[in-house]
Amino acid sequence: MEAALYGPEGFYLRPEGPAGHFRTSVHASPLFAGAVARLLCRVDETLDHPDELAFVDLGAGRGELTAGVLAALPADVAPRTRAYAVERAGRPAGLDPRVEWRDRPPAGVTGLLFANEWLDNVPLDVVEVDPGGLVRHVLVRDDGTESLGDPVAGADASWLARWWPLAPEPGLRAEIGRPRDEAWATAAGTLTRGLAVAVDYAHDRAARPPFGTLTGFRAGRETAPVPDGTCDITAHVALDACAPPGACLLTQRAALHALGVRGGRPPLSLASTDPTAYVRALTRAGEAAELTAAGGLGDFGWLAQPVGITGPLLVDVADHEEQ
């Protein structure tokens, strides 16, 4: 998985970038970047308006979210904001020169770290229950052919027992999320003070999928997860395992509602008084509805982790919204 995604011929180093193969919330509407910009402003207020405010876009693709957030910031916040796009691929041409391109997040910054659909591409191992009821690692060849390997032991076995216990039923599968827990702890640890947010398709311990979620995407279509570098290889995230004490888990629908993104139609009276404004408002309402839709992007999980700060920010407001 590591080689297929990030090796010399890896999927995420291809020139077309992720947007050439699938559509995230960032690509669905500029409303998403606007909501993240408002969240950054809330963090700025909680931090008492520091001289330098960091926005770290982790897993930045081609910098679309970073550029969108900078464009949406108010005039009193933008000059103090230092934007970092963190991605293993090279810097794309034409990106806003204010964006600092890095292959790893900066350490010791104050502000907002935001990882949109990053954790699902942190490589992990897949395991399966064999005919004798033993949990074994799944091995895969370059062509996607699978076989069962050694039994799971040690730290991986402990993680499974706590977060994804498997019944002794042959064919049941799980994805060991321990590398993602560690990756998230490392990423959030780069903040001195602020808020770390991970957004992804996710599941929790009460409803783990019995056969796992590993899959591939190529050119907008789901495909077999063949690790040859031609497709995205992804698996849903056990966000509850990543979340430390004090973090909040909520849906994207609740988070975006708390940040002012709603899908209500504009009043019909606007169509007669200002048709152009009505069309614009109708377009925004449709985009907001897509970002918050049940059964779609609205069901994505948000992990919001305060670092050295307290205050409502996203957490309390969104909790109230869901209730």
Side-chain angles (χ1 to χ4, degrees), residues 42-50 53 110-111 193-194 307-309:
R42 292 186 183 182
V43 172
D44 178 54
E45 184 175 356
T46 301
L47 293 170
D48 198 23
H49 314 292
L53 178 70
T110 297
R193 294 179 66 222
V307 178
I309 62 172

Side-chain angles (χ1 to χ4, degrees), residues 84-100:
Y84 302 89
V86 182
E87 182 59 69
R88 296 201 198 185
R91 183 187 182 96
L95 184 64
D96 189 319
R98 293 176 294 173
V99 177
E100 183 174 333

Side-chain angles (χ1 to χ4, degrees), residues 70-116:
L70 283 175
L73 289 175
D76 63 323
V77 178
R80 293 184 288 107
T81 299
R82 186 169 181 180
Y84 302 89
V86 182
E87 182 59 69
R88 296 201 198 185
R91 183 187 182 96
L95 184 64
D96 189 319
R98 293 176 294 173
V99 177
E100 183 174 333
W101 196 264
R102 302 173 62 103
D103 62 0
R104 63 188 62 191
V109 297
T110 297
L112 173 63
L113 181 142
F114 199 88
N116 185 62

Side-chain angles (χ1 to χ4, degrees), residues 205-252:
R205 194 181 187 281
R208 303 286 190 220
F211 303 105
T213 62
L214 187 76
T215 190
F217 283 94
R218 181 191 298 114
R221 296 180 180 274
E222 191 168 7
T223 186
V226 178
D228 60 3
T230 65
C231 68
D232 183 27
I233 298 177
T234 178
H236 293 205
V237 182
L239 273 183
D240 52 340
C242 296
C248 174
L249 295 171
L250 60 155
T251 65
Q252 174 155 299

Side-chain angles (χ1 to χ4, degrees), residues 224-307:
V226 178
D228 60 3
T230 65
C231 68
D232 183 27
I233 298 177
T234 178
H236 293 205
V237 182
L239 273 183
D240 52 340
C242 296
C248 174
L249 295 171
L250 60 155
T251 65
Q252 174 155 299
R253 181 168 47 258
L256 291 185
H257 282 176
L259 292 167
V261 177
R262 296 178 178 273
R265 291 174 61 93
L268 285 174
S269 58
L270 185 61
S272 57
T273 59
D274 192 340
T276 302
Y278 177 77
V279 171
R280 286 198 301 266
L282 196 62
T283 299
R284 288 195 299 271
E287 292 173 354
E290 181 182 1
L291 290 172
T292 59
L297 294 174
D299 290 344
F300 272 42
W302 281 47
L303 188 170
Q305 179 179 335
V307 178

Side-chain angles (χ1 to χ4, degrees), residues 27-254:
H27 308 117
S29 170
L31 293 176
F32 189 78
V36 176
R38 286 191 290 278
L39 180 57
L40 179 59
C41 290
R42 292 186 183 182
V43 172
D44 178 54
E45 184 175 356
T46 301
L47 293 170
D48 198 23
H49 314 292
D51 293 338
E52 182 175 290
L53 178 70
F55 174 66
V56 182
D57 181 6
L58 185 54
R62 295 302 180 265
E64 300 95 336
L65 178 61
T66 322
V69 168
L70 283 175
L73 289 175
D76 63 323
V77 178
R80 293 184 288 107
T81 299
R82 186 169 181 180
Y84 302 89
V86 182
E87 182 59 69
R88 296 201 198 185
R91 183 187 182 96
L95 184 64
D96 189 319
R98 293 176 294 173
V99 177
E100 183 174 333
W101 196 264
R102 302 173 62 103
D103 62 0
R104 63 188 62 191
V109 297
T110 297
L112 173 63
L113 181 142
F114 199 88
N116 185 62
E117 295 194 44
W118 171 66
L119 281 171
D120 65 279
N121 290 126
V122 172
L124 46 59
D125 287 330
V126 178
V127 299
E128 182 177 316
V129 180
D130 73 7
L134 198 61
V135 180
R136 295 181 179 272
H137 286 281
V138 175
L139 308 179
V140 61
R141 297 182 182 275
D142 290 344
D143 64 0
T145 304
E146 294 181 349
S147 61
L148 296 186
D150 292 335
V152 179
D156 285 345
S158 297
W159 189 93
L160 283 175
R162 180 178 181 187
W163 293 109
W164 198 330
L166 289 171
E169 180 181 334
L172 292 182
R173 283 195 170 197
E175 292 131 9
I176 300 174
R178 187 171 61 87
R180 295 174 172 181
D181 301 353
E182 294 169 354
W184 179 246
T186 298
T190 62
L191 285 178
T192 299
R193 294 179 66 222
L195 184 70
V197 177
V199 180
D200 239 304
Y201 32 81
H203 45 65
D204 60 28
R205 194 181 187 281
R208 303 286 190 220
F211 303 105
T213 62
L214 187 76
T215 190
F217 283 94
R218 181 191 298 114
R221 296 180 180 274
E222 191 168 7
T223 186
V226 178
D228 60 3
T230 65
C231 68
D232 183 27
I233 298 177
T234 178
H236 293 205
V237 182
L239 273 183
D240 52 340
C242 296
C248 174
L249 295 171
L250 60 155
T251 65
Q252 174 155 299
R253 181 168 47 258

